[in-house]
Amino acid sequence: MSHPSKHLLAIEGLEPPHIADLLDLAESYALLNRSGKTQRDLLKGRTLINLFFEDSTRTRTSFELAGKRLGADVINMSVSQSSVNKGETLLDTASTLNAMQCDLLVIRHAQSGAPALLSQKVDAAVINAGDGTHEHPTQALLDALTIRRHKGRLEGLVVAICGDIAHSRVARSNIHLLTTMGSRVRVVGPPTLIPADAARLGVEVFHDMKAGLAGADVVMMLRLQRERMSGGLVPSAREFFRFYGLDAEKLAHAKDDSIVMHPGPMNRGVEIDSAIADHPTRSVIGEQVEMGVACRMAVLDILARRLPRNR
Ligand code: ASP
C-alpha cells in the first residue's frame, strides 16, 4: 500500500498497512545501516531543508544523517540564524523555501498545526518533526520499530506510557500508532498531567505506577516538559520521582522481560533513575536513537517517491 499523502504531518489518520509499510522499509534501512553500506543515489539531486524553530539534538541530526545517507543535499536552518528572528512570518518563510526549490522540508515548531499550515503553502513534501503538544510522528515510528524488534509484534502488547502525558506530542503520536496496530495502551501519571479526554483516545488511565506497570511489556517514560507548563502542575522534582520516577522497585511490577524506553532528553533522577536508563538488558534507549535514523530514511524514501521527477 502506498503512503496516503504527499506529507507526513501526523500518525493520526494512517491505517495499519501504511504504518506496517513504513516500519518494514525502516527495518531494511536498519539492516543496511548496520552493514555499513549506503544508498546514496536515492535522493541524489534532492534538497532537504531542516527548519527547526525549537531546540533539538536527536531529531535534527538524525534527519540530517538520514538525508545524507540517501544522497540528498541537506541544509539546516535554525531560528537563531534565520530571518524569523527579524519578524518574518511563517508564510513568508514558506515563499522563500519555495523559491529555493526545496524538495523535502522537515519542520519543528512550538505551535501545534504549524507544519500543516506550511504544507499548504510550500511545494515541498513536509515532515512534521514535532509541533507543540500535537504530534511527533517519526518518534512514534522509531519507537514502534524498536518495540517490534524486541517483541516481534505490536498487536496485543501492553504498553505503559508514563509521566507528563498532557504536554507530550510523543505520547499523542505513540497512542495513535500503538492503538491502530492493536497494542493495549495505558497512560500513567498524576491527574494534573493526564489530559481530561485521555480515555477518548482508546487508552486506560492509571494514577498509580504499581497498577499501571503491572504486567506491562513496554514501559515508556516521558520527560517532564516544564517549558510547556503554565502553573505548578507538579510539587517538586523529588516528590515526582518518589511517585512516578522509574526505579528498580517500580519496574519490578512490569513483566520480567519488559523493555524501558525514553524519547530523550532525559531528566535523570526526575522521571527515570540512572541505573534503569543505563540498564544493559532492559533499557533500549540507545537503540531508539539508532532506529530514528532508519525510520527517517524510510520516511524520506517513501515521500520522495511521490515527488515530481528531479529538476
Ligand atoms: N524530544 C521529544 C520532543 O521533541 C521529547 C521531549 O522533548 O521531551 O517532543
Side-chain angles (χ1 to χ4, degrees), residues 30-308:
L31 297 175
L32 189 82
N33 288 342
R34 281 198 179 174
S35 75
K37 295 196 190 109
T38 52
Q39 201 172 339
R40 295 200 193 275
D41 284 343
L42 207 85
L43 296 184
K44 204 160 169 236
R46 298 289 192 191
T47 303
L48 162 69
I49 298 188
N50 265 326
L51 181 62
F52 276 66
F53 292 89
E54 265 190 348
D55 290 346
S56 168
T57 318
R58 279 156 294 271
T59 306
R60 194 190 56 71
T61 46
S62 74
F63 267 113
E64 183 174 355
L65 207 52
K68 286 184 172 163
R69 286 202 179 150
L70 296 177
D73 295 321
V74 183
I75 293 158
N76 293 313
M77 280 173 69
S78 64
V79 178
S80 53
Q81 298 156 5
S82 81
S83 325
V84 176
N85 271 352
K86 297 176 197 153
E88 187 174 289
T89 67
L90 193 58
L91 299 183
D92 289 335
T93 307
S95 25
T96 307
L97 294 168
N98 274 340
M100 286 176 180
Q101 305 194 330
C102 153
D103 297 295
L104 293 146
L105 175 65
V106 177
I107 170 174
R108 168 169 287 190
H109 200 282
Q111 206 68 45
S112 300
L117 176 68
L118 210 56
S119 74
Q120 295 163 13
K121 306 289 173 190
V122 293
D123 300 327
V126 175
I127 301 159
N128 178 4
D131 61 332
T133 56
H134 173 229
E135 280 226 31
H136 190 350
T138 55
Q139 177 73 45
L141 289 168
L142 73 90
D143 289 339
L145 182 61
T146 308
I147 297 173
R148 217 177 68 163
R149 289 176 72 102
H150 281 266
K151 301 290 169 197
R153 66 198 160 99
L154 297 171
E155 198 180 345
L157 293 179
V158 176
V159 181
I161 307 180
C162 312
D164 186 357
I165 312 293
H167 302 98
S168 177
R169 54 199 178 202
V170 173
R172 214 162 264 279
S173 287
N174 265 297
I175 290 169
H176 288 306
L177 190 152
L178 292 167
T179 54
T180 302
M181 298 308 274
S183 308
R184 288 169 51 202
V185 181
R186 301 171 177 174
V187 294
V188 191
T192 46
L193 296 181
I194 306 255
D197 64 346
R200 199 183 51 81
L201 298 172
V203 301
E204 279 183 276
V205 177
F206 292 82
H207 299 304
D208 174 61
M209 285 288 272
K210 190 173 154 188
L213 263 53
D217 297 286
V218 177
V219 182
M220 187 183 292
M221 301 308 297
L222 299 173
R223 182 174 67 89
L224 262 193
Q225 306 211 351
R226 290 187 185 279
E227 76 277 19
R228 298 195 204 283
M229 295 183 194
S230 43
L233 296 178
V234 279
S236 69
R238 245 177 96 182
E239 194 70 344
F240 184 82
F241 182 75
R242 199 171 135 221
F243 289 103
Y244 294 101
L246 187 66
D247 55 12
E249 198 190 321
K250 295 190 192 80
L251 185 58
H253 297 287
K255 281 195 184 148
D256 290 342
D257 64 349
S258 58
I259 53 170
V260 174
M261 310 180 78
H262 194 302
M266 282 186 278
N267 292 309
R268 291 170 181 264
V270 180
E271 68 262 354
I272 191 163
D273 186 37
S274 265
I276 302 297
D278 302 329
H279 195 285
T281 55
R282 304 294 284 279
S283 169
V284 297
I285 295 168
E287 192 175 331
Q288 285 175 267
V289 179
E290 181 188 350
M291 292 309 123
V293 179
C295 283
R296 284 156 187 144
M297 289 170 83
V299 169
L300 296 177
D301 177 347
I302 279 198
L303 295 186
R305 293 176 195 179
R306 298 181 59 127
L307 288 171

